[in-house]
Amino acid sequence: MSDALLKIAHLTRYFDVSKPWLNRVLEREEKQFLTAVADVSFEIRRGETFALVGESGSGKSTIAKMVVGLLGASEGLIEFDGHRMTGTAGAEMRDLRRRFQMIFQDPFASLNPRWRVGDIIAEPIHTFGLLKGADVTKRVGELLDTVGLSSKDAEKFPHEFSGGQRQRIAIARALSSKPEFIVCDEPTSALDVSVQAQILNLMKDLQDEMGLTYLFISHDLSVVRHMANRIGVLYLGRLVEVADGKRLFTDPQHPYTRMLLDAVPDLALSGRRRKPVEGEIPNPINPPPGCAFHPRCPLAMPRCKVDAPVPVQTATGHAACFALEKQTA
Amino acid sequence: MTDALLSVRNLRVEFPTRRGILTAIDDVSFDIMPGEVLGVVGESGAGKSLTGAAIIGLLEPPGRIASGEILLKGQRIDNLDAESMRRIRGKRIGMVFQDPLTSLNPLYTVAQQLIETIRTHADISEAEARTRAVALLDRVGIPAAARRIDDYPHHFSGGMRQRVVIALALCAEPELVIADEPTTALDVSVQSQIIDLIKEICAERGAAVMLITHDMGVIAETADRVAVLYAGRLAEIGPVREVITAAEHPYTAGLMGSIPTLTQDNARLVQIPGAMPRLNAIPQGCAFNPRCERAFDRCFRDRPDPIDRGDGRKVACWLYDAAGVAAKEKADV
Amino acid sequence: MNRLARMWDSDIAWSFRHSPVAIVATVVALIIIMGAVLAPWIAPFNPFDSASLNLMDGFTPPGVPNQFTGNTYLMGTDNQGRDIFSTILYGARISLFVGFAAVVFSMVLGIGLGLLAGWRGGWVDSLLMRIADVQLSFPSILIALLIFGLARGFIPPTMREEVAIWVLIVSIGLSDWVQYARVVRGAAMVEKSKEYVQAARVIGMHPTRIVLRHILPNVMGPVLVIATIGLALAIIAEATLSFLGVGVPPTQPSLGTLIRIGQQYLFSGEWWIILFPSIALLLLALSVNLLGDWLRDALNPRLR
């Protein structure tokens, strides 16, 4: 496991969701905290795609933002290629920043509407001072070419492009600082399926050519299955299961993973009868005690309501569930 | 043909803009049979939501029905005045939208909204309407319906709200329910619950459903037939199983191939090059021709009309024009 | 050329071409602005040159020869024999200069503080916005009067005449920054949460650079609208202050000063002294205001 590019240990993030001070005093309320991410640990090996799946409130985007430094961690540790991200500053941090990038969900919000495409793509080049003058223009042209656009597009503005083309521009920008690691936060969920296929294929091609490492965030299990080598399943900010890509789908361990898989519409019309999914995601401000999944879990035992399960080893990863402990014991 | 519940005939919806008239829906025809679930699928901008809006008379100006007819049980409803249309909406056609919050009035309790709708369409006492409303909420799966009926919409979670909307759409026992992306705003695990609910409850009451969505998976699980729209035109229509397993239109085939599934194992997804044209730049001939690998000269010249393929399937593609194919084969030889 | 053609074809230009009100307002505003700018060349007299004034010419009615000197004036003369038409041109020059300068001043101040509040948030935001709230609870003309009065207290009497106009600009500008700050703050908070700003933060771009290069250009739309309407307000504020006698010195009469002089003679029959400057002020303020209204609608996609 020495080839881990990104290492995350006991990562936790609280958000203060209290009412303003005056209201709190008048209404005699305590401060309220929302635990968006609770004690999450995983490693991403060089060259692989690690996916985080989860529904709304699972904390997957919060983790993405902490990894790239848009949000600070409340507790825990993020290590990029052996460098601790918290506490690093100055030139060392600048050098680290060059090596990771992010692709966002909404291609209509991720490009500044007032900038020309060429300037958007060149922004990281200028910020890191990688190239100067005509070399920048040349590099921007190459990047546009790489993502399947034309170097002439550098002169245009974002509104002249469709959603899929904009996402290509965003990818070109992410590539321009020659990063090793890219955090992809739902990169295709705002796109139509036929365009989604183009973008997913492009991202796979780029990974093969440049040896990129991806942290891939998505709510769509089929997309994740297509993209990821390893997958982490999040529920209410807790990592409930980690497994190898295909294994998660053939042999899901955690009851929540199984439930998610059952909820995916069956396009193959195999006629498999889906088990009805029970209940909805609880409010993350007051998550259920013990295992957060127990109110919806078909395997729930009295113990699940009291203690939080610790991850147990599975065939290709780990899962946090007492029912599994019993099996192995 | 006369036994169709809803008949859309050569519908054309236009948006006059300062750069000319944009045709958002161009000569689309289809039928919905009583009790049937018709899926309408397409990418953003294909005109699927507009078709729904045109049927219920809720096109946003300056959009307008330029030509064509919409018939509900043989009676034209596209040229009705606002008041008669309002009576049809709710009573004979129920609606479920993407965002449950916009369909519910935040200032009234669920009970008030349900009872009001029930009583507008049925001449019964308030107490009776309330009993019916509670039964309906119970049916759509709201726990403790008798107590929760007096809550306001914001007291419900997203999935529960959509259940309330479904109850509201069904409370006047409509013959047709138009559901426009009913599950898009919901979480995956809740989505399947809502799909199952719509399917079951409409079957139970004999209501037909027009299910508008971008999600082929939802269509596969729910619909009896599916209509595929592309750039405001009907590309293909037919029974779901046939269309999904053996798509005839190159666009549908590409669309199916581009969806990652839980079973497919090829490393690359099939991709359709390019993107759907903007409404102001629809090419001559078939709208799909710039992206179509099988396009030939005729596709760039003439626009294909839906060709009857038997078994209720229609495909708007010159590849299936028997006369055209014969002519082409002759030319190839 | 290509660029010009593109501009002509843009939505804004189209909306302009199809709005008679906007076209008329622009023509009127342009005529007044041109007249003011070119006043030294097109005005028949220089009303600020006291040497050229003849008191005998005082109170000449418009278009009628003076009973003593026989001179005829298009819009008559005031009490000191100044030609009203020329004075309007020169006065509009001062009104416009003060208006523009005050708008620029309040814009720079408002945008700066608005960006700071919107970007930093937290206590900086709270503090700035509470100051804005307090200022908004007073009529802005009162604020301008207060600042003007305070400033005069600090400035030695010998310098007052020279700096009067700058004091006026600063007072009007300070009384008007709140609007810009509030709008910019709101827009900046929206832009700040957008993903393109996050993308810039991911690569570690300096916050100042993000604010200036990314956020500022995207909040300028609404600012332009307020600035146009603000110009009309600043011109009126200047006129009000001059009317109250605390504005520019009487030797350099602005439109407001002329109206103040005129109202003294309103009841003695010399109606032209107040009428023509009032019409000029009305036309100027109205046309600029209408332009602002049009611009607001044209930039608002929901109203189109």
Side-chain angles (χ1 to χ4, degrees), chain A:
Chain A
M1 288 286 189
S2 57
D3 58 346
L5 182 61
L6 187 83
K7 193 174 161 190
I8 281 173
H10 308 294
L11 191 63
T12 302
R13 170 75 203 201
Y14 313 111
F15 287 105
D16 186 346
V17 290
S18 322
K19 291 177 179 168
W21 173 78
L22 195 62
N23 297 46
R24 273 208 320 274
V25 172
L26 293 175
E27 295 162 26
R28 291 162 198 248
E29 279 185 17
E30 296 280 298
K31 271 200 151 195
Q32 277 196 317
F33 290 97
L34 182 158
T35 309
V37 177
D39 197 18
V40 168
S41 308
F42 59 87
E43 286 184 357
I44 304 180
R45 285 172 228 141
R46 212 177 285 276
E48 78 170 356
T49 299
F50 184 89
L52 284 175
V53 269
E55 302 178 86
S56 60
S58 66
K60 54 190 191 301
S61 284
T62 310
I63 294 179
K65 285 184 177 157
M66 285 193 282
V67 168
V68 295
L70 282 173
L71 273 177
S74 304
E75 286 163 31
L77 166 99
I78 303 171
E79 243 180 49
F80 182 78
D81 200 15
H83 303 267
R84 281 186 69 156
M85 298 268 284
T86 36
T88 310
E92 197 189 343
M93 189 62 202
R94 213 172 100 107
D95 187 52
L96 276 187
R97 280 187 195 281
R98 190 199 59 73
R99 297 170 58 192
F100 58 82
Q101 274 285 0
M102 185 157 179
I103 299 170
F104 296 88
Q105 175 176 3
D106 182 0
F108 290 86
S110 66
L111 308 176
N112 188 336
R114 309 227 167 230
W115 283 28
R116 284 180 199 280
V117 166
D119 297 329
I120 291 174
I121 296 175
E123 189 180 12
I125 302 178
H126 290 303
T127 307
F128 294 115
L130 301 177
L131 294 168
K132 283 208 164 56
D135 289 343
V136 178
T137 324
K138 192 166 154 261
R139 174 94 178 110
V140 167
E142 286 166 11
L143 285 163
L144 278 167
D145 205 43
T146 312
V147 298
L149 295 169
S150 140
S151 55
K152 273 178 265 168
D153 290 330
E155 286 303 305
K156 297 186 185 158
F157 285 96
H159 68 83
E160 298 173 58
F161 296 90
S162 68
Q165 289 171 320
R166 282 162 179 250
Q167 200 59 299
R168 288 173 192 270
I169 296 169
I171 292 174
R173 169 177 61 192
L175 293 176
S176 71
S177 65
K178 297 194 173 163
E180 297 147 49
F181 175 63
I182 299 183
V183 175
C184 319
D185 187 4
E186 304 251 14
T188 59
S189 67
L191 305 174
D192 282 315
V193 274
S194 74
V195 180
Q196 164 174 288
Q198 297 170 6
I199 299 296
L200 293 180
N201 283 341
L202 173 67
M203 288 177 60
K204 274 203 152 185
D205 293 346
L206 293 172
Q207 182 169 39
D208 292 345
E209 278 165 39
M210 307 183 183
L212 295 167
T213 308
Y214 290 140
L215 170 58
F216 193 93
I217 312 282
S218 181
H219 69 276
D220 188 333
L221 278 168
S222 351
V223 170
V224 161
R225 180 177 179 276
H226 183 73
M227 293 296 288
N229 305 100
R230 282 198 312 136
I231 299 168
V233 181
L234 287 163
Y235 185 73
L236 278 178
R238 292 146 181 88
L239 195 59
V240 295
E241 178 165 1
V242 175
D244 273 2
K246 304 292 185 246
R247 187 82 192 214
L248 187 85
F249 293 86
T250 52
D251 185 22
Q253 295 296 311
H254 197 279
Y256 176 65
T257 314
R258 278 183 229 157
M259 195 194 84
L260 268 186
L261 282 172
D262 262 346
V264 175
D266 179 15
L267 200 59
L269 293 161
S270 58
R272 92 186 135 99
R273 185 65 206 135
R274 296 194 279 125
K275 250 178 274 156
V277 175
E278 295 290 326
E280 293 186 28
I281 302 164
N283 184 346
I285 296 176
N286 291 309
C291 172
F293 186 61
H294 82 254
R296 302 173 76 185
C297 183
L299 308 176
M301 303 173 283
R303 191 179 167 195
C304 304
K305 295 175 184 151
V306 189
D307 301 327
V310 281
V312 293
Q313 202 69 37
T314 57
T316 59
H318 54 81
C321 180
F322 288 126
L324 293 172
E325 252 172 48
K326 223 178 205 172
Q327 280 170 17
T328 47

Side-chain angles (χ1 to χ4, degrees), chain B:
Chain B
M1 268 293 123
T2 45
D3 53 354
L5 171 65
L6 183 91
S7 228
V8 175
R9 295 268 147 269
N10 306 99
L11 180 68
R12 189 182 171 91
V13 171
E14 292 180 347
F15 281 83
T17 73
R18 70 178 182 89
R19 293 180 204 278
I21 291 171
L22 297 180
T23 309
I25 299 175
D26 195 351
D27 203 18
V28 166
S29 303
F30 59 87
D31 289 331
I32 300 180
M33 296 295 154
E36 173 188 53
V37 179
L38 176 76
V40 177
V41 73
E43 299 180 77
S44 48
K48 52 190 193 303
S49 289
L50 279 176
T51 310
I55 291 170
I56 53 180
L58 287 179
L59 276 179
E60 294 242 354
R64 57 167 193 235
I65 297 179
S67 63
E69 291 180 356
I70 300 167
L71 303 137
L72 185 64
K73 280 213 173 138
Q75 175 211 358
R76 273 190 78 168
I77 57 167
D78 54 293
N79 53 3
L80 293 180
D81 58 277
E83 180 52 32
S84 332
M85 196 61 223
R86 198 186 60 76
R87 249 178 277 140
I88 287 185
R89 271 201 306 269
K91 171 69 193 145
R92 300 184 63 193
I93 304 180
M95 290 164 296
V96 179
F97 292 118
Q98 175 173 346
D99 180 3
L101 266 187
T102 56
S103 329
L104 295 169
N105 188 330
L107 299 176
Y108 294 98
T109 64
V110 167
Q112 286 166 321
Q113 299 185 48
L114 276 169
I115 292 169
E116 195 203 321
T117 317
I118 293 174
R119 294 191 72 200
T120 330
H121 300 293
D123 187 24
I124 53 172
S125 74
E126 171 138 7
E128 224 174 306
R130 192 182 166 89
T131 319
R132 248 196 229 184
V134 172
L136 199 57
L137 283 186
D138 194 46
R139 176 62 195 91
V140 296
I142 304 235
R147 188 167 48 81
R148 298 222 61 188
I149 193 169
D150 289 311
D151 283 348
Y152 287 89
H154 68 261
H155 291 131
F156 292 85
S157 68
M160 287 297 154
R161 245 181 245 142
Q162 198 61 298
R163 289 171 192 268
V164 173
V165 173
I166 291 170
L168 201 60
L170 285 166
C171 66
E173 315 225 302
E175 299 146 75
L176 173 68
V177 172
I178 296 183
D180 188 355
E181 304 269 8
T183 60
T184 308
L186 304 174
D187 276 312
V188 193
S189 64
V190 184
Q191 266 183 20
S192 57
Q193 299 171 7
I194 297 295
I195 293 170
D196 288 348
L197 177 65
I198 291 179
K199 200 174 152 181
E200 280 169 31
I201 200 167
C202 290
E204 207 173 279
R205 275 148 209 263
V209 182
M210 177 171 162
L211 178 66
I212 300 168
T213 179
H214 67 280
D215 190 337
M216 262 299 187
V218 171
I219 298 270
E221 295 237 312
T222 319
D224 301 313
R225 287 194 305 138
V226 58
V228 182
L229 293 185
Y230 184 80
R233 302 170 183 190
L234 187 71
E236 178 162 9
I237 187 168
V240 160
R241 180 166 285 273
E242 275 78 3
V243 172
I244 284 184
T245 51
E248 295 200 317
H249 197 286
Y251 171 64
T252 321
L255 197 63
M256 294 310 305
S258 65
I259 306 172
T261 66
L262 292 187
T263 44
Q264 126 272 346
D265 258 316
N266 40 336
R268 284 178 69 84
L269 296 164
V270 178
Q271 63 179 57
I272 311 175
M276 198 166 67
R278 294 182 187 197
L279 288 180
N280 57 7
I282 293 178
Q284 199 199 336
C286 174
F288 187 59
N289 67 37
R291 302 173 73 187
C292 185
E293 284 174 355
R294 302 171 69 188
F296 56 100
D297 51 355
R298 191 172 180 191
C299 305
F300 295 94
R301 199 174 56 236
D302 305 319
R303 178 181 161 182
D305 281 321
I307 295 162
D308 209 322
R309 302 279 298 147
D311 304 331
R313 294 189 78 171
K314 283 183 185 170
V315 184
C317 176
W318 289 128
L319 290 171
Y320 300 94
D321 179 42
V325 171
K328 193 177 174 260
E329 273 165 8
K330 205 176 272 175
D332 288 347
V333 175

Side-chain angles (χ1 to χ4, degrees), chain C residues 169-211:
Chain C
I169 288 167
V170 169
S171 332
I172 296 174
L174 275 180
S175 73
D176 217 26
W177 65 275
V178 175
Q179 291 199 55
Y180 298 94
R182 289 190 139 199
V183 167
V184 168
R185 166 189 176 261
M189 288 175 98
V190 172
E191 296 301 321
K192 181 187 166 187
S193 67
K194 288 204 181 151
E195 291 174 346
Y196 70 87
V197 173
Q198 295 185 7
R201 286 173 58 198
V202 168
I203 58 172
M205 198 187 235
H206 195 272
T208 316
R209 207 173 140 77
I210 295 180
V211 169

Side-chain angles (χ1 to χ4, degrees), chain C:
Chain C
M1 185 55 227
N2 192 14
R3 222 192 162 109
L4 264 180
R6 264 227 301 273
M7 265 173 74
W8 177 250
D9 201 39
S10 69
D11 286 336
I12 287 279
W14 185 86
S15 152
F16 182 77
R17 279 180 284 154
H18 287 74
S19 165
V21 174
I23 295 174
V24 171
T26 309
V27 170
V28 171
L30 273 183
I31 289 175
I32 299 177
I33 291 171
M34 291 306 283
V37 170
L38 301 174
W41 294 278
I42 56 174
F45 304 92
N46 181 355
F48 295 170
D49 180 7
S50 43
S52 74
L53 294 181
N54 183 353
L55 272 179
M56 303 292 274
D57 275 333
F59 302 122
T60 314
V64 177
N66 184 278
Q67 49 182 329
F68 308 109
T69 60
N71 295 335
T72 312
Y73 299 92
L74 182 63
M75 294 182 185
T77 61
D78 70 354
N79 55 339
Q80 302 196 38
R82 283 190 289 231
D83 172 34
I84 299 278
F85 178 63
S86 307
T87 320
I88 286 176
L89 291 181
Y90 277 88
R93 212 170 141 95
I94 291 172
S95 295
L96 277 167
F97 175 71
V98 172
F100 271 115
V103 164
V104 169
F105 182 77
S106 53
M107 219 163 92
V108 169
L109 189 68
I111 291 174
L113 294 177
L115 284 175
L116 184 68
W119 175 259
R120 289 292 299 274
W123 67 268
V124 178
D125 177 39
S126 301
L127 180 73
L128 285 170
M129 286 304 114
R130 290 306 81 76
I131 294 174
D133 286 344
V134 169
Q135 179 161 343
L136 269 186
S137 60
F138 294 99
S140 63
I141 196 74
L142 211 64
I143 306 266
L145 261 175
L146 183 76
I147 298 165
F148 193 80
L150 278 175
R152 286 188 73 117
F154 289 111
I155 296 164
T158 46
M159 287 176 65
R160 271 183 203 162
E161 291 274 290
E162 295 165 46
V163 298
I165 200 160
W166 299 106
V167 174
L168 193 60
I169 288 167
V170 169
S171 332
I172 296 174
L174 275 180
S175 73
D176 217 26
W177 65 275
V178 175
Q179 291 199 55
Y180 298 94
R182 289 190 139 199
V183 167
V184 168
R185 166 189 176 261
M189 288 175 98
V190 172
E191 296 301 321
K192 181 187 166 187
S193 67
K194 288 204 181 151
E195 291 174 346
Y196 70 87
V197 173
Q198 295 185 7
R201 286 173 58 198
V202 168
I203 58 172
M205 198 187 235
H206 195 272
T208 316
R209 207 173 140 77
I210 295 180
V211 169
L212 293 181
R213 295 265 284 137
H214 278 294
I215 294 183
L216 181 61
N218 283 297
V219 301
M220 283 310 282
V223 167
L224 275 181
V225 175
I226 310 179
T228 319
I229 295 171
L231 176 62
L233 288 176
I235 290 169
I236 293 170
E238 183 277 326
T240 311
L241 291 177
S242 298
F243 181 82
L244 295 172
V246 295
V248 290
T251 47
Q252 291 182 11
S254 73
L255 290 176
T257 325
L258 279 176
I259 295 168
R260 174 168 59 102
I261 296 166
Q263 62 98 24
Q264 297 165 15
Y265 304 101
L266 188 55
F267 296 106
S268 54
E270 288 82 17
W271 48 269
W272 58 89
I273 307 180
I274 190 165
L275 183 71
F276 294 114
S278 302
I279 290 176
L281 179 66
L282 181 84
L283 284 178
L284 182 61
L286 187 65
S287 59
V288 174
N289 235 333
L290 288 173
L291 265 183
D293 279 352
W294 162 78
L295 193 64
R296 187 191 53 210
D297 294 351
L299 290 178
N300 185 349
R302 254 176 303 175
L303 285 176
R304 217 183 293 146

